[in-house]
């Protein structure tokens, strides 16, 4: 016996349909989409848009204990200083409680899969037997060239721990750079060698200070390095934008998710060509820099777009619908159909899980989310 759902509108993952019914098996796997007149009886009527579960392409769930502790609109360099100063001030129980609450919010608001940034092994405990799929991006930092090998070794140790502890779960893990302003030339080169053919992510152009650093070694990051005691005497400006400085380091067929992109220009997009997926986290951008990414520019250039929530340190929720609502508020000309595609099938393709998630295709089990009045609720 199939479960049958007829919503006000059915978003398949790629298009919006009216007067259609979704047929599912009892385990939630998709059987078919049929016209209303062909669905037979015992059809459940739903008020709202029914869409596949959301794929959150960028999150930092291990920072969940920092919720509402960092002031808004500090700018990114000051935000980083705040995170570095308070992220280790909570005990294991407090961190675990915050992680569990964050996962519950992700689950209830319709997320089915997460691209999660990991600097520690703190999140492993909640990922065991999790109702969500996790791609664990083991993030490396180190702006001093001489420390590159030791930073890589530390990241590999964390990666190995994730792979061992989560070996019986269908998750993926990969080493990734944090950001251009926190990864040295030598560390970039090591990461390139160690991520051939992998899915990686990088925080990109979240603040105008990033481009200033690379163009002429100026801007607000200099004060941050001094505050954190980081010696940048070995760093030389490239005279180019940040994106044009870091992207050439990767040459081994990596799939690269470029996150934030608030200050990415047409020249940067032209330079990148087809090498990047662009992840947007608009509420985090508003929280930290009080800006939004150039979404219309990305659309104009047919850039592949995915969505994320970033962390509780830079966001008051980990709710993908809140990100969708923010985009609709500031860019009302963008169709909801387009934004939902970013949040579903595009995200699934970015994380390499579109064989299971992202759309209502026969045999998949992508989860189901009902959207009504700007609120998303998981129904399966």
């Amino acid at each position: 016996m199939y479960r049958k759902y007829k919503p006000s509108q059915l978003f398949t993952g790629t298009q919006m349909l009216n007067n259609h019914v979704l047929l599912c098996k009892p385990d939630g796997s998709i059987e078919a989409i049929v016209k209303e007149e062909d669905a037979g009886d015992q059809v459940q009527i739903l008020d709202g848009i029914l869409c596949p579960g959301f794929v959150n392409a960028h999150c930092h769930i291990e920072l969940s204990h920092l919720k509402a502790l960092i002031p808004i609109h500090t700018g990114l360099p000051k935000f980083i200083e705040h995170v570095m100063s308070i992220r280790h001030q909570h005990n294991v129980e407090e961190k675990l409680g915050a992680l569990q609450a964050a996962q519950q919010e992700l689950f209830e608001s319709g997320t089915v899969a997460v691209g999660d940034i990991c600097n520690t092994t703190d999140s492993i405990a909640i990922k065991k037997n999790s109702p969500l799929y996790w791609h664990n991006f083991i993030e490396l930092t180190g702006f001093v060239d001489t420390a590159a090998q030791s930073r890589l070794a530390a990241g590999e140790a964390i990666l190995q721990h994730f792979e061992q502890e989560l070996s019986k779960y269908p998750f993926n893990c990969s080493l990734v750079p944090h950001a251009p302003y926190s990864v040295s030339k030598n560390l970039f080169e090591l990461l390139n060698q160690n991520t051939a053919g992998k899915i990686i992510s990088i925080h990109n152009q979240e603040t105008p200070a990033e481009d200033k650093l690379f163009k002429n070694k100026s801007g607000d990051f200099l004060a941050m390095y001094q505050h954190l005691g980081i010696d940048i005497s070995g760093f030389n400006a490239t005279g180019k934008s940040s994106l044009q400085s870091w992207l050439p380091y990767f040459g081994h067929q990596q799939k690269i998710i470029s996150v934030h992109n608030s200050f990415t220009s047409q020249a940067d997009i032209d330079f990148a060509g087809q090498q990047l997926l662009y992840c947007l986290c608009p509420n985090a951008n508003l929280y930290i820099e009080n800006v939004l990414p150039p979404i219309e520019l990305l659309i104009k250039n047919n850039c592949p777009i995915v969505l994320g929530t970033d962390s509780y340190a830079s966001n008051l929720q980990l709710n993908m619908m809140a990100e969708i609502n923010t985009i609709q508020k500031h860019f009302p000309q963008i169709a909801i159909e387009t934004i939902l595609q970013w949040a579903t099938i595009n995200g699934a393709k970015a994380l390499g899980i579109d064989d299971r998630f992202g759309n209502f295709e026969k045999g998949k089990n992508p989860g189901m989310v009902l959207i009504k009045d700007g609120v998303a609720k998981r129904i399966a």
Side-chain angles (χ1 to χ4, degrees):
M1 178 68 68
Y2 296 129
R3 297 175 183 171
K4 304 176 183 180
Y5 300 97
K6 181 192 177 296
S8 306
Q9 290 184 293
L10 178 66
F11 178 71
T12 67
T14 53
Q15 62 179 322
M16 198 76 76
L17 300 177
N18 295 309
N19 302 315
H20 280 71
V21 175
L22 181 68
L23 307 184
C24 305
K25 294 180 180 179
D27 66 355
S29 60
I30 305 303
E31 176 61 26
I33 295 173
V34 299
K35 293 181 179 179
E36 181 180 8
E37 58 266 29
D38 298 327
D41 56 7
Q42 294 184 315
V43 176
Q44 183 176 347
I45 306 300
L46 301 174
D47 184 14
I49 299 171
L50 184 65
C51 82
F54 298 134
V55 178
N56 184 338
H58 182 77
C59 188
H60 301 245
I61 200 172
E62 71 182 19
L63 298 181
S64 296
H65 59 290
L66 302 184
K67 186 176 182 179
L69 295 184
I70 298 176
I72 64 172
H73 304 164
T74 61
L76 186 63
K78 285 293 183 183
F79 173 82
I80 294 170
E81 290 181 21
H82 281 292
V83 171
M84 297 295 288
S85 67
I86 66 174
R87 69 176 297 166
H88 300 299
Q89 291 181 0
H90 295 71
N91 61 39
V92 173
E93 290 75 18
E94 290 170 330
K95 289 182 178 180
L96 184 58
L99 284 163
Q100 290 171 335
Q103 176 176 247
Q104 190 65 22
E105 181 185 9
L106 285 163
F107 178 80
E108 291 178 356
S109 59
T111 291
V112 295
V114 184
D116 193 44
I117 302 295
C118 309
N119 298 102
T120 70
T121 58
D122 290 350
S123 64
I124 288 177
I126 65 106
K127 289 170 179 172
K128 292 181 175 180
N129 301 310
S130 173
L132 307 178
Y133 170 90
W134 301 89
H135 186 116
N136 301 293
F137 291 116
I138 311 304
E139 187 176 75
L140 275 62
T141 63
F143 204 53
V144 178
D145 271 331
T146 55
Q149 194 65 56
S150 63
R151 292 303 182 106
L152 177 66
E156 288 177 327
I158 293 174
L159 176 68
Q160 184 178 34
H161 200 64
F162 267 88
E163 290 177 337
Q164 290 175 343
E165 290 292 315
L166 301 175
S167 61
K168 64 180 181 180
Y169 303 97
F171 304 154
N172 284 316
C173 302
S174 52
L175 297 173
V176 301
H178 168 245
Y181 55 80
S182 63
V183 174
S184 70
K185 176 179 180 293
N186 286 357
L187 187 52
F188 267 125
E189 290 172 347
L190 289 172
L191 279 166
N192 181 43
Q193 296 167 18
N194 284 272
T195 59
K198 299 286 189 178
I199 302 169
I200 65 172
S201 75
I202 183 171
H203 297 75
N204 176 66
Q205 293 174 308
E206 195 174 352
T207 172
E210 189 172 316
D211 280 339
K212 290 180 180 178
L213 176 69
F214 282 89
K215 287 180 177 179
N216 52 35
K217 202 174 180 177
S218 67
D220 293 340
F221 276 116
L222 301 187
M224 184 197 77
Y225 295 135
Q226 184 176 17
H227 176 82
L228 297 175
I230 299 172
D231 178 10
I232 66 162
S233 59
F235 170 76
N236 295 311
T238 63
K240 302 176 182 178
S241 74
S242 172
L243 184 148
Q244 295 177 45
S245 299
W246 66 259
L247 185 54
Y249 285 118
F250 293 102
H252 291 312
Q253 298 184 315
Q254 292 92 345
K255 181 192 288 186
I256 305 174
I257 302 173
S258 178
V259 183
H260 295 303
N261 314 294
S262 302
F263 296 91
T264 300
S265 69
Q266 181 66 56
D268 293 322
I269 294 171
D270 292 341
F271 182 87
Q274 302 300 311
Q275 295 184 73
L276 299 178
L277 299 161
Y278 295 85
C279 182
L280 309 180
C281 306
N283 285 328
N285 301 145
L286 291 170
Y287 192 106
I288 297 173
E289 291 275 348
N290 199 26
V291 298
L292 287 167
I295 298 179
E296 291 177 305
L297 182 65
L298 295 172
I299 293 173
K300 176 185 174 183
N301 285 274
N302 295 313
C303 297
I305 296 173
V306 299
L307 300 182
T309 61
D310 213 33
S311 74
Y312 272 149
S314 60
N315 204 335
L316 296 178
Q317 63 273 309
L318 300 182
N319 185 332
M320 288 283 283
M321 196 66 216
E323 307 299 323
I324 293 168
N325 290 340
T326 293
I327 295 171
Q328 285 200 294
K329 175 183 176 181
H330 292 276
F331 302 91
Q333 70 278 18
I334 303 176
I336 182 62
E337 188 174 22
T338 297
I339 306 172
L340 288 177
Q341 184 170 331
W342 301 344
T344 56
I345 189 61
N346 282 19
K349 288 179 178 178
L351 296 183
I353 52 174
D354 51 308
D355 59 331
R356 288 168 276 174
F357 301 105
N359 62 5
F360 290 139
E361 186 175 297
K362 181 178 173 64
K364 294 185 181 181
N365 198 331
M368 288 180 279
V369 179
L370 186 66
I371 300 170
K372 182 182 179 182
D373 299 328
V375 176
K377 182 179 180 181
R378 174 188 289 269
I379 65 168

